[in-house]
Amino acid sequence: MLTQQTSYGAFHIGDRDALYRKMAEAIQEASGTAESFSLIALTGGSTPKAFYRWCVAQGVFDSDQLNAALWTTSDERHVPRDSEESNFGTAERLFLDPMGVREENRIPWPVDVDPHSAGIVFNRLWAERFGEHRGFDLCFLGMGEDGHTASLFPGSPLIGLETEDNFSCVEVPGKGWRLTINETGISRCSRICVIVTGAGKADAVHDVLHSEPEDSHRPIQLLRRYAERVVWLVDEEAAGRL
Ligand code: 6PG
């Protein structure tokens, strides 16, 4: 695996297996204890699905290890948990269920209320259980071809939003309502792991590193501020233009 230091954090470039091993290591390193749970956010998209299947096939974790963490997702679509579109539901079906993660270790987004209320309920739950200023010990993020991350899309009203809350709801044109970690939430994470796979991401990966954030309007470039806490796991196809 090739490692390259950049102004956006350390880039690790390798094949899918090497990437999945690094993701598993990040989870192992973030593992808490029965007295002090760690907080881990999984992400949506196609890359984590492949990782979940790999974990189950490889048997890389034991359930005690995973039950020392509390699990949610860094963003969520406002759909029922049993929908194929649900990031948390997908994580449950492909990862948390087969790995034996207990129900009480799961923190799904409250999609049974309207999106505005869901944002309020989730921020309140977080503040009461963990303290308002607590961030994730480990937060996985993906990146879209347009440079979006979580549900922070180019032109989003959430970009630059000043708030004490870690999470927001937002209507994304053409994609419906989303619940997402916002910039405040990202700023509070101890460790961020960005996973990027596939040739379709090669231009975006190149542009992140070679354009100024104010010129490119790629929300993922906000990670530059937290570079020392950010690790990128990029497959060879997505790194094709580096
Ligand atoms: C989602 C996430 C989104 C995703 C990226 C990358 O729910 O889809 O909000 O930010 O992580 O679009 O997705 P891929 O892994 O499919 O490339």
Side-chain angles (χ1 to χ4, degrees), residues 79-145:
V79 296
R81 208 160 143 183
D82 61 7
S83 159
E84 286 292 308
E85 287 287 297
S86 165
N87 287 343
F88 192 79
T90 301
E92 287 193 299
R93 289 184 286 279
L94 297 181
F95 183 64
L96 303 178
D97 290 345
M99 289 294 181
V101 172
R102 291 187 298 253
E103 186 63 35
E104 60 263 35
N105 289 60
R106 305 181 187 194
I107 313 176
W109 290 82
V111 287
D112 46 349
V113 294
D114 68 87
H116 284 287
S117 306
I120 293 167
V121 168
F122 201 66
N123 280 309
R124 192 184 302 142
L125 173 154
W126 186 274
E128 285 171 4
R129 275 186 82 174
F130 313 119
E132 192 183 32
H133 295 105
R134 174 90 191 263
F136 289 112
D137 296 289
L138 173 63
C139 180
F140 285 104
L141 293 172
M143 179 182 77
E145 291 175 25

Side-chain angles (χ1 to χ4, degrees), residues 8 207-208 210-225:
Y8 288 87
D207 292 351
V208 165
H210 295 101
S211 64
E212 287 304 314
E214 49 282 8
D215 297 333
S216 79
H217 308 293
R218 292 179 181 276
I220 195 138
Q221 286 177 305
L222 70 88
L223 295 182
R224 185 153 76 170
R225 280 176 235 148

Side-chain angles (χ1 to χ4, degrees), residues 66-200:
L66 299 184
N67 280 314
L70 301 178
W71 300 87
T72 187
T73 50
S74 46
D75 75 332
E76 184 58 287
R77 295 111 192 259
H78 197 260
V79 296
R81 208 160 143 183
D82 61 7
S83 159
E84 286 292 308
E85 287 287 297
S86 165
N87 287 343
F88 192 79
T90 301
E92 287 193 299
R93 289 184 286 279
L94 297 181
F95 183 64
L96 303 178
D97 290 345
M99 289 294 181
V101 172
R102 291 187 298 253
E103 186 63 35
E104 60 263 35
N105 289 60
R106 305 181 187 194
I107 313 176
W109 290 82
V111 287
D112 46 349
V113 294
D114 68 87
H116 284 287
S117 306
I120 293 167
V121 168
F122 201 66
N123 280 309
R124 192 184 302 142
L125 173 154
W126 186 274
E128 285 171 4
R129 275 186 82 174
F130 313 119
E132 192 183 32
H133 295 105
R134 174 90 191 263
F136 289 112
D137 296 289
L138 173 63
C139 180
F140 285 104
L141 293 172
M143 179 182 77
E145 291 175 25
D146 58 358
H148 79 261
T149 191
S151 288
L152 303 172
F153 285 82
S156 170
L158 299 181
I159 307 293
L161 177 78
E162 290 184 19
T163 171
E164 275 305 300
D165 292 329
N166 287 335
F167 309 101
S168 299
C169 73
V170 65
E171 190 171 15
V172 182
K175 294 183 188 295
W177 282 93
R178 298 289 188 94
L179 301 155
T180 184
I181 191 168
N182 57 30
E183 289 190 42
T184 303
I186 287 175
S187 75
R188 291 174 176 157
C189 291
S190 305
R191 191 155 189 226
I192 295 169
C193 204
V194 186
I195 45 175
V196 191
T197 56

